[in-house]
Amino acid sequence: MDYTERIERERAEKDEYFAEHPRSPIPMGERDDFDALDYYDPDPTYRFELELREFDDHDTIQVETTQDGEQTYHRWGEFEFDLHGDTHTLTAYRRDPSEQQLWVPFRDETNGDTTYPAGRYLDLDENAERDGVWLVDFNRAYSPFCAYSDAYECPLVPFENHLDVRIEAGERHEN
C-alpha cells in the first residue's frame, strides 16, 4: 500500500468512527447528516522526518482550554522544518514525563479560512519515532473534538506554536 492509500484508509476509518461510534464527537442529532470529514488531498510535501531537539529542562506550562480551564503540559522538545523556503519550529509537549507520545498543537495561516479557527493537533506516538527520528506528517493533522461539539474541553495552541505559513494538509473544517 502506498503513502496516499495509507492516508486515505486512515481517514476512512476515522470517518466511520465519527459516523457510528458511541463516543464520536459528532452530536447524536447530527450523525444522520454526517457523511465524512473534509480533508486536503494527501501531499508528501507536508511529511517530514525530523530529529527532536529535546530540551534540557522540561518546564511545565499551563495551557488554557476552550472551556476557560487550564491543563498542564511539559515542554519536551522542538522540531525544526523547512517549508516553502522558510524554516519553522514547533514545540512538542507531553502531559506526563513518563509517556512516550508527543502532542504537537499548531496554528497556521489556514485557521479560520479552511481549517478550525483555534488550530489543529498532531499526535506522535512511539510508532512515529525510529532511531531518534520522528515522522511529523501534517497530512495527519486533525481538529480537536471541541470543533464538533461544545461538550468537549480542548487545550488551546500555545503561542509559541503559531506558524506564519499555510499548512494545507490534514483535516479541513467548515467555518
Side-chain angles (χ1 to χ4, degrees):
M1 180 179 311
D2 77 359
Y3 174 72
T4 299
E5 290 173 329
R6 196 167 45 252
I7 293 291
E8 295 291 352
R9 187 187 74 211
E10 290 172 9
R11 291 174 174 182
E13 290 171 0
K14 183 173 184 177
D15 288 342
E16 182 179 331
Y17 176 90
F18 271 48
E20 299 174 9
H21 197 278
R23 299 192 73 174
S24 167
I26 305 294
M28 288 297 276
E30 297 176 20
R31 289 189 193 172
D32 288 342
D33 295 330
F34 177 79
D35 292 323
L37 296 172
D38 190 19
Y39 299 96
Y40 286 101
D41 290 335
D43 184 347
T45 303
Y46 294 99
R47 182 184 184 276
F48 300 92
E49 293 181 8
L50 304 170
E51 290 186 19
L52 177 69
R53 292 190 307 228
E54 189 171 329
F55 298 138
D56 291 334
D57 295 316
H58 299 132
D59 298 333
T60 59
I61 63 167
Q62 298 300 312
V63 177
E64 293 181 35
T65 69
T66 55
Q67 302 287 340
D68 295 325
E70 288 186 339
Q71 295 179 2
T72 302
Y73 286 87
H74 298 267
R75 295 179 72 249
W76 207 258
E78 185 175 73
F79 291 112
E80 182 177 283
F81 62 99
D82 292 322
L83 183 63
H84 307 308
D86 292 315
T87 300
H88 305 278
T89 59
L90 283 174
T91 300
Y93 305 88
R94 285 191 172 147
R95 288 288 306 253
D96 183 317
S98 65
E99 69 184 11
Q100 294 303 307
Q101 180 171 310
L102 295 173
W103 178 59
V104 184
F106 67 96
R107 286 182 51 100
D108 68 279
E109 297 296 317
T110 66
N111 299 133
D113 177 20
T114 58
T115 62
Y116 182 55
R120 293 178 288 162
Y121 301 162
L122 288 170
D123 293 329
L124 308 180
D125 64 17
E126 62 276 356
N127 296 321
E129 187 267 337
R130 181 169 291 133
D131 298 325
V133 176
W134 291 81
L135 177 60
V136 178
D137 189 347
F138 289 101
N139 292 288
R140 291 185 167 100
Y142 67 94
S143 299
F145 279 9
C146 55
Y148 306 101
S149 171
D150 292 337
Y152 291 89
E153 180 176 20
C154 301
L156 299 173
V157 176
F159 184 74
E160 66 188 336
N161 276 9
H162 291 204
L163 301 172
D164 60 352
V165 65
R166 291 180 67 85
I167 303 292
E168 294 180 330
E171 197 173 303
R172 296 169 55 106
H173 188 79
E174 295 178 19
N175 294 303

